Amino acid sequence: MSTSQSGIFALGTASHAYLEFDARRPGATRELATAVASLREPRTTMGGVNLVAGFRPELWRELVPDDAPAGIEGFNRDIVGPDGYTMPATQHDAVLWLSGSAYDVVFDMAREAIAALDAVASVAEETSSWPYRHDRDLTGFIDGTENPDLIDGPELVVIPEDSAGAGGTILLLQKWCHESSAWESLQVARQEQVIGRTKDESVELDDKPPESHVARTDQDRFGKIFRRNMPYGTVTDHGTMFVGFSADQRPLREMLESMVGLTDGGVRDALTLYTRALTGAYYFIPSTQSLRRCSGD
């Protein structure tokens, strides 16, 4: 039986680091995959650090074609709405997501991982994250209200047995910058209309506008995903790391298209008036068994 990487569902971790890598040369992709796979659990969980490792879909398909889900591809093109609002494509070759109870152990393990990969890959993007008011994002709203629980989550977002990529999942990773001054100038009632939920209790509004964030990303319409979003940044430059998992790329892609207004007559997600995507990448997160095979063990 194929099992998913355990860090995906390791809730409650307070510190996170996201490292995206590019191979140093075209011929180094196999060496990169082998080196990344060698960092797998349990070795990297010593000291209380969880590790999730993934690869650009085309790279994984090239190396392990029988373990690549059909149709999955990288975030290779910007998504541009009718009014020009753009979600940029910043696809890289591999990703490591480290999480733990404290940032010191995450920091040390991230440095060790970067050093272990240095001969074959360079760090293209690095972000650190931390929790805010237990379960809220930096808009002040509760994040992940519709997340499936840990019983249903794996069944919904992990690729089932007898399918290519069994035990794996697809990750959408985006870094979103918040325009905090503009957002905080809004009255709470207006913020609730933008989100589509109440701020204190996260109750979905009966009269939510069609451009609200909840309406534009309705999981009853697009399909369930499992999110591990976290705040990132400093006092003057901050936002949200969107970390979304799905067994099928379609819900993730269609949600983004809905947000920029490529559907429903050009209705754009109102939250994008106050947030801006800085990065965008898809990664295939193989099963633990596939990682072991890739490492040569």
Side-chain angles (χ1 to χ4, degrees), residues 176-190:
W176 286 83
C177 176
H178 290 203
E179 306 293 345
S180 296
S181 295
W183 176 255
E184 291 167 0
S185 71
L186 301 178
Q187 296 293 322
V188 169
R190 176 56 188 154

Side-chain angles (χ1 to χ4, degrees), residues 18-209:
Y18 311 90
L19 305 173
E20 295 178 81
F21 295 86
D22 284 330
R24 290 195 179 277
R25 56 190 183 279
T29 52
R30 183 169 295 278
E31 292 94 328
L32 168 60
T34 300
V36 169
S38 74
L39 298 171
R40 72 185 189 282
E41 298 171 335
R43 190 176 71 190
T44 50
T45 56
M46 295 175 63
V49 178
N50 300 295
L51 172 70
V52 174
F55 303 92
R56 175 168 54 86
E58 294 86 350
L59 184 155
W60 186 253
R61 181 177 293 109
E62 175 186 347
L63 298 180
V64 194
D66 61 341
D67 194 54
I72 181 176
E73 61 179 18
F75 203 133
N76 301 323
R77 295 169 296 279
D78 294 349
I79 301 177
V80 183
D83 63 356
Y85 183 83
T86 300
M87 293 183 185
T90 60
Q91 184 68 52
H92 299 291
D93 287 331
V95 65
L96 296 179
W97 166 32
L98 299 99
S99 63
S101 59
Y103 188 64
D104 56 351
V105 292
V106 171
F107 178 85
D108 286 343
M109 191 58 67
R111 292 190 67 197
E112 290 181 24
I114 290 170
L117 301 179
D118 184 64
V120 294
S122 58
V123 177
E125 184 75 31
E126 174 191 356
T127 306
S128 299
S129 290
W130 33 267
Y132 179 71
R133 298 186 182 181
H134 180 58
D135 56 2
R136 295 179 185 267
D137 65 24
L138 297 181
T139 66
F141 283 73
I142 295 173
D143 198 359
T145 301
E146 291 191 9
N147 244 9
D149 60 31
L150 290 180
I151 296 176
D152 295 331
E155 294 183 3
L156 291 170
V157 304
V158 175
I159 297 171
E161 292 295 320
D162 302 321
S163 299
T169 186
I170 298 162
L171 164 65
L172 170 60
L173 184 66
Q174 288 182 300
K175 185 175 183 177
W176 286 83
C177 176
H178 290 203
E179 306 293 345
S180 296
S181 295
W183 176 255
E184 291 167 0
S185 71
L186 301 178
Q187 296 293 322
V188 169
R190 176 56 188 154
Q191 291 181 356
E192 292 178 337
Q193 290 290 302
V194 170
I195 298 295
R197 290 185 177 277
T198 60
K199 192 168 188 176
D200 289 339
E201 303 297 335
S202 197
V203 176
E204 186 170 332
L205 302 180
D206 291 333
D207 60 346
K208 60 184 178 295

